[in-house]
Amino acid sequence: MIYGYLGFIITLFPIIISPGASFAIALNSTLNNVMKGLIVPIVGTGLGIITHGLLVGVSLTKILASSEWVMMSLIGILGAIYLLYLSFSLITSGIRASENQHQNKIKKVTIKDVFMLTY
């Protein structure tokens, strides 16, 4: 039993420490809030990766593979809806940014922001 957990930790450790998109958020947050701003991106990234690893660890992949066609269709539809949402958000945020160019507010990074970034 202990070897299973040890293997799980050894497998996830390189993924957790490798730089990615969350590295840019951590760097930006550190530059804006010094060392105090580094904790939030680290915790959010770690929680996101561990959550993903646990879902895979409890055989979510096996469940998806058992009803492959239905799940892949559902994932495809949800993915398309999510991409439409992202494009709409990008367009509206671009319009708002062009209207409010004179206000340069730095948004604080939360654990939820970084957690959602890992997906």
Side-chain angles (χ1 to χ4, degrees):
M1 186 75 164
I2 190 76
Y3 294 116
Y5 292 124
L6 184 62
F8 181 71
I9 291 169
I10 290 171
T11 303
L12 281 182
F13 186 71
I15 298 169
I16 292 172
I17 64 169
S18 65
S22 57
F23 179 75
I25 288 181
L27 184 61
N28 183 34
S29 184
T30 304
L31 291 174
N32 291 328
N33 300 322
V34 194
M35 290 303 288
K36 189 176 174 184
L38 184 62
I39 301 298
V40 171
I42 288 174
V43 170
T45 301
L47 286 174
I49 291 171
I50 289 171
T51 302
H52 181 72
L54 287 174
L55 289 175
V56 171
V58 295
S59 300
L60 182 64
T61 307
K62 187 175 182 179
I63 294 168
L64 291 175
S66 67
S67 57
E68 186 175 336
W69 185 80
V70 174
M71 293 307 281
M72 293 308 286
S73 297
L74 179 64
I75 289 172
I77 292 169
L78 290 175
I81 291 170
Y82 182 64
L83 288 174
L84 288 172
Y85 164 75
L86 285 178
S87 62
F88 179 75
S89 297
L90 182 63
I91 291 169
T92 55
S93 68
I95 292 171
R96 279 194 306 258
S98 66
E99 292 172 353
N100 299 325
Q101 277 186 334
H102 61 279
Q103 297 175 353
N104 283 336
K105 291 184 180 177
I106 298 174
K107 182 181 181 269
K108 283 187 88 172
V109 177
T110 64
I111 291 176
K112 178 185 171 196
D113 294 334
V114 182
F115 178 79
M116 295 305 289
L117 179 71
T118 59
Y119 288 101

